[in-house]
């Protein structure tokens, strides 16, 4: 693909649809659970489904990109996402789970392939375009969290409020088809790998990058899946809790424009990774000690901490020499990494369900962040897989 401004717009609009499917449901999770008469276990599974699917579908993404071409693969991902968003609002608990799995399968393909498009089409502007991509992703997540609760009374049910996001993904599909066509000389397949498909599995740094990606995903999806419910249980209104969840995502917009162009152009990203993760750790400590004392502050700090996500994407490109390696490392880091991350929302919810307290869950999350900081320091050092 040629690096045209129109392609940048296409990347941004596609990225904007990679989080509303998750944050829109999370912001009205209590309403959905009550309306469906679902159990706590079902709710925990629902919060874990996105990351499980991100992992499983990400493994197939490189094959799909090579088979049909990058532009068609991402367009197909947006079509699958739209279908899943519609499906999950038409029936009961199991259909909700199935539709969510389908929708997040589309997201998983975009998660893996869009960074490869950035690497191939903007080799001298990886930091800047990664910033645009992650800013759009954060904006989509924030808007999905902030607007869905007010849409419930407006559209008479959670189904209408959650299903409305299919319109956004359908619109993005149309724009992507136009933008990708005009942003490429020909929709050629992604380059073939230079070695065996499993070659990354024998590279220690690839495993470190994968672990780092999985740990930061664990923190992010616990926040997106459970933070709103935590605040509501502390007496905060659902609308305000949704706005706090939106704030966590929206803080990523300015951070995405500022941090990647600076951090990804330095020899080492270790200090940036540890510094950002320290904000998440401080927020989790605050939530454990006094969750209702300063919920907006905890939300701001957690949002800053989640600014590590663009660096998690950026090191995938920085630790590889060729686009084929980037594709394989992206698939491994996101495929295995999201499966690691899926354990976070599930265990966080189950611990709360068993103990009746958020404290054990928050202690577990704090431990995950400490390990994330250690592994992040390792992968931030300048070297190649």
């Amino acid at each position: 693909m040629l690096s045209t401004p129109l392609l940048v717009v296409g990347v941004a609009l596609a990225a904007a649809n990679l989080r509303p499917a998750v944050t829109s449901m999370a912001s009205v999770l209590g309403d959905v659970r009550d309306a469906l008469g679902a159990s706590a276990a079902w709710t925990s599974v629902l919060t874990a489904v996105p990351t499980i699917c991100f992992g499983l579908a990400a493994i197939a993404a490189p094959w799909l990109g090579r088979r049909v071409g990058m532009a068609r693969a991402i367009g197909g991902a947006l079509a699958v996402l739209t279908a899943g968003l519609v499906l999950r609002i038409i029936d009961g608990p199991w259909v909700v789970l199935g539709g969510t799995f389908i929708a997040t399968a589309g997201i998983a393909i975009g998660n893996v392939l869009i960074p490869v498009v950035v690497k191939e089409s903007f080799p001298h502007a990886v930091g800047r375009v990664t910033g645009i991509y992650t800013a759009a992703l954060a904006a989509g997540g924030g808007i999905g969290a902030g607007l869905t609760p007010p849409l419930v009374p407006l559209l008479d049910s959670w189904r209408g409020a959650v299903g409305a996001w299919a319109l956004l993904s359908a619109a993005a599909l149309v724009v992507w088809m136009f933008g990708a066509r005009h942003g490429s000389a020909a929709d050629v397949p992604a380059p073939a790998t230079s070695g065996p498909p499993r070659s990354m599995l024998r590279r220690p740094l690839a495993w470190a990058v994968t672990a780092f990606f999985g740990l930061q995903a664990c923190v992010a999806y616990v926040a997106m899946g459970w933070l709103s419910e935590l605040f509501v249980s502390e007496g905060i209104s659902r609308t305000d809790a949704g706005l706090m969840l939106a704030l966590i995502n929206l803080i990523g917009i300015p951070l995405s424009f500022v941090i990647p162009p600076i951090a990804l152009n330095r020899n080492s990203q270790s200090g940036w990774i540890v510094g950002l993760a320290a904000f998440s750790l401080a927020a989790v400590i605050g939530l454990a000690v006094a969750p209702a004392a300063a919920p907006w502050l905890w939300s701001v700090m957690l949002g800053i901490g989640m600014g590590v996500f663009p660096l998690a994407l950026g090191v995938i490109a920085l630790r590889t020499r060729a686009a084929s390696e980037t594709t394989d490392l992206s698939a491994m880091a996101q495929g295995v990494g999201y499966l690691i991350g899926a354990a976070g929302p599930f265990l966080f919810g189950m611990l709360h369900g068993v103990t009746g307290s958020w404290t054990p869950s928050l202690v577990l999350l704090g431990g995950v962040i400490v390990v994330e900081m250690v592994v992040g320091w390792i992968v931030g050092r300048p070297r190649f897989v």
Side-chain angles (χ1 to χ4, degrees), residues 259-289:
I259 293 175
I262 298 174
L264 297 180
N265 284 321
R266 294 181 178 271
N267 286 333
S268 173
Q269 292 74 45
S270 297
W272 286 90
I273 291 169
V274 172
L276 289 169
F279 278 93
S280 292
L281 183 59
V284 168
I285 293 171
L287 288 167
V289 174

Side-chain angles (χ1 to χ4, degrees), residues 9 31 51 54 60 70 82 120 150-151 164 169 180 195 205 207 226 232 266 272 300 360 362:
V9 174
D31 292 344
T51 42
F54 288 170
M70 302 296 285
T82 303
E120 288 184 320
L151 284 176
S169 60
L205 182 56
W207 279 108
W226 285 106
V232 169
R266 294 181 178 271
W272 286 90
V300 169
L362 290 167

Side-chain angles (χ1 to χ4, degrees), residues 75-86 99 101-107 109 173:
L78 289 169
V80 170
L81 168 60
T82 303
L85 290 174
V86 173
F101 192 91
I102 292 171
T104 49
I107 293 173
I109 295 169
L173 172 59

Side-chain angles (χ1 to χ4, degrees), residues 6 69 81 85 138 144 151 162 197-198 222 230 245 259 265 298 335 338 347 353-355 367 379:
L6 191 59
L81 168 60
L85 290 174
L151 284 176
V162 171
R198 295 182 179 273
V222 166
L230 188 158
L245 182 58
I259 293 175
N265 284 321
W298 311 144
Y338 276 126
L347 292 176
V354 170
T355 65
V379 303

Side-chain angles (χ1 to χ4, degrees), residues 179-241:
R181 184 174 67 247
H182 288 268
S184 59
D187 188 15
V188 295
T193 56
S194 57
R198 295 182 179 273
S199 60
M200 285 292 166
L201 299 177
R202 296 193 294 269
R203 305 184 189 188
L205 182 56
W207 279 108
V209 171
T210 299
F212 172 57
F213 194 95
L215 291 165
Q216 66 81 32
C218 178
V219 176
Y221 283 92
V222 166
M224 284 190 279
W226 285 106
L227 194 66
S228 181
E229 287 302 299
L230 188 158
F231 283 142
V232 169
S233 71
E234 294 294 329
I236 296 169
S237 72
R238 186 162 296 280
T239 297
D240 284 348

Side-chain angles (χ1 to χ4, degrees), residues 48-66:
V49 159
T51 42
I52 292 172
C53 191
F54 288 170
L56 294 176
I59 296 170
W63 173 85
L64 184 64
R66 297 180 187 111

Side-chain angles (χ1 to χ4, degrees), residues 94-175:
W94 293 107
V95 174
V96 172
L97 286 175
T100 299
F101 192 91
I102 292 171
T104 49
I107 293 173
I109 295 169
N111 281 341
V112 172
L113 297 185
I114 291 178
V116 179
V117 171
V118 172
K119 171 81 170 183
E120 288 184 320
S121 300
F122 307 93
H124 302 296
V126 170
R128 184 168 65 252
V129 180
T130 297
I132 293 170
Y133 159 67
T134 54
L137 192 149
I143 292 169
L147 291 186
T148 302
L151 284 176
V152 173
L154 186 64
L155 298 177
D156 293 329
S157 73
W158 68 266
R159 295 182 187 274
V162 171
W165 298 103
L167 299 175
L168 179 64
S169 60
L173 172 59
V174 174
V175 175

